Amino acid sequence: MKILLTTILALSISTVSFAQNPDKALTRVSYNFTHIQDTTQKDRPYKENMLLLVGKNASVYTSYDKINQGLARKKQIEEQMKNQAGNTNVSITVKSTGYTPTSSTDYFYFAKENKFFTKERIYNYYLVEEPTTKSNWKITKDTTSFSGVHCQKATATFKGRKWTAWYATELPFQSGPWKLNGLPGLIIEAYDDTKTVSFQFAGMENVTETPNEPTKTSVNSGTQVTMSDGGVAVFSGGAGGVNSVSPYLESEIKLPADAIKATRQELDKLKEARNKDPQGFMKTQMAGSNEGIITVTGYAMSGTAGPTLPKIVLNNPIELPEKK
């Protein structure tokens, strides 16, 4: 771990980035995210493995589980497409074993410009610039270590909760999990005072530059992937394509060039239309496309109207009303 910290620190000193330009990724931090969404069932918290990709100026926070599920789907689709090469209308069955709901939102933070963006998918990918809210962190003298990473304690009230964060004094990055940031060191672990939301440190590794390997069997740009049972598109060329399920495993942090810029109000209206009539909404979104169709059976993927999942009771959202 000492060698890892030294390497990251050396890279951060030599890295230069400019306003929202691509930033060199230096390290990946893994977190175990736990959230008791329904306080009447505290023994059944929501759990997810998360990933923070960090550079000197920028960071992106996403779901590790989502990445791994995307890679697994990609592998299944590519294997079956080998037997259906040349067809524009392809039928594929994707096994649903191991599928669990994952977070659909990715969070981008640019420390120098103090800008924050969220990327969400509603058939297409949308990028929203969010208002930044600085947390008034109070740094204490308390220290501890997580797997050899020396950390100092800080507290703040943010988004309606009282947070405790442990940040790495040896890693001069202002980023952290979710929307927590702004400390003079990388946030390694954080939790709120009710202990119903927590980000537990699960590991860290250096990012090594590796050339992008071409996909052996890929979906042509513009090819649509739909559910054969009346569901909706899950993969398409460009944003969300089979070839772009793991951009956060690469060595660069950048805003998605193929996402549609939108306001929060516009995105909320799209979500409302989708929730009222999921299948009709997706058919409208896909209208006018003359590209090939890949029919996928047996799997409900992110943003689809496949098999119904149990409805989540959410009486304890991560963001609470600010107390006046």
Side-chain angles (χ1 to χ4, degrees):
M1 184 61 72
K2 186 74 174 178
I3 296 174
L4 172 63
L5 295 177
T6 303
T7 304
I8 296 171
L9 182 58
L11 286 170
S12 69
I13 293 173
S14 62
T15 302
V16 179
S17 60
F18 300 93
Q20 295 168 48
N21 283 345
D23 194 13
K24 180 182 176 64
L26 302 178
T27 185
R28 298 187 188 96
V29 186
S30 302
Y31 300 91
N32 294 324
F33 172 55
T34 304
H35 180 195
I36 298 176
Q37 299 175 328
D38 182 2
T39 54
T40 66
Q41 300 188 53
K42 293 185 177 181
D43 59 333
R44 299 180 63 184
Y46 176 85
K47 296 182 178 181
E48 189 170 2
N49 297 307
M50 308 301 291
L51 173 69
L52 180 69
L53 189 62
V54 185
K56 182 183 179 183
N57 178 60
S59 65
V60 56
Y61 178 73
T62 187
S63 167
Y64 226 147
D65 289 339
K66 179 172 62 177
I67 291 173
N68 289 329
Q69 288 182 15
L71 290 172
R73 292 196 298 264
K74 173 184 174 182
K75 183 178 180 181
Q76 290 187 57
I77 289 175
E78 289 175 348
E79 287 177 349
Q80 293 185 54
M81 286 190 67
K82 291 178 182 178
N83 300 322
Q84 303 184 55
N87 294 338
T88 56
N89 294 284
V90 181
S91 179
I92 295 175
T93 300
V94 181
K95 296 180 181 179
S96 59
T97 304
Y99 171 77
T100 56
T102 59
S103 302
S104 61
T105 305
D106 298 337
Y107 301 92
F108 294 82
Y109 175 59
F110 294 85
K112 187 182 297 182
E113 301 79 25
N114 193 31
K115 288 195 173 183
F116 197 89
F117 300 84
T118 58
K119 186 186 81 171
E120 297 186 49
R121 185 175 185 181
I122 310 177
Y123 178 75
N124 295 301
Y125 281 125
Y126 291 89
L127 188 67
V128 177
E129 182 173 354
E130 305 283 2
T132 54
T133 304
K134 286 189 176 182
S135 302
N136 295 318
W137 292 104
K138 295 180 180 179
I139 297 175
T140 74
K141 296 181 179 180
D142 299 326
T143 61
T144 190
S145 63
F146 299 91
S147 301
V149 182
H150 180 73
C151 294
Q152 192 162 346
K153 181 181 177 181
T155 60
T157 299
F158 180 69
K159 299 296 183 181
R161 293 181 182 272
K162 293 181 180 179
W163 290 93
T164 294
W166 295 92
Y167 68 96
T169 55
E170 299 177 58
L171 299 176
F173 308 111
Q174 298 183 42
S175 300
W178 183 53
K179 299 180 180 181
L180 300 174
N181 52 58
L183 280 166
L186 181 66
I187 297 176
I188 295 296
E189 190 153 322
Y191 48 85
D192 78 320
D193 64 338
T194 68
K195 299 295 179 69
T196 58
V197 183
S198 68
F199 303 90
Q200 185 178 10
F201 180 64
M204 183 166 58
E205 64 178 2
N206 284 335
V207 175
T208 56
E209 291 191 41
T210 55
N212 293 327
E213 296 183 1
T215 306
K216 293 181 180 179
T217 306
S218 61
V219 179
N220 294 329
S221 178
T223 300
Q224 304 294 323
V225 182
T226 63
M227 303 291 289
S228 66
D229 58 357
V232 296
V234 291
F235 284 122
S236 63
V242 174
N243 297 324
S244 61
V245 295
S246 58
Y248 307 134
L249 298 183
E250 299 174 358
S251 57
E252 195 174 54
I253 303 169
K254 58 184 177 181
L255 291 176
D258 47 6
I260 301 171
K261 292 183 179 180
T263 65
R264 176 53 55 189
Q265 291 76 14
E266 291 169 339
L267 205 59
D268 288 343
K269 288 182 180 179
L270 283 174
K271 289 180 180 179
E272 184 179 356
R274 178 198 60 187
N275 294 339
K276 284 184 177 179
D277 182 10
Q279 294 184 23
F281 175 81
M282 288 302 173
K283 288 179 181 178
T284 300
Q285 293 288 304
M286 295 170 63
S289 173
N290 296 318
E291 304 291 347
I293 299 296
I294 299 176
T295 301
V296 179
T297 61
Y299 201 91
M301 305 182 196
S302 176
T304 73
T308 303
L309 296 171
K311 188 174 181 180
I312 298 174
V313 176
L314 183 60
N315 60 26
N316 183 39
I318 190 170
E319 294 189 31
L320 298 174
E322 297 285 353
K323 296 180 180 179
K324 297 182 179 180

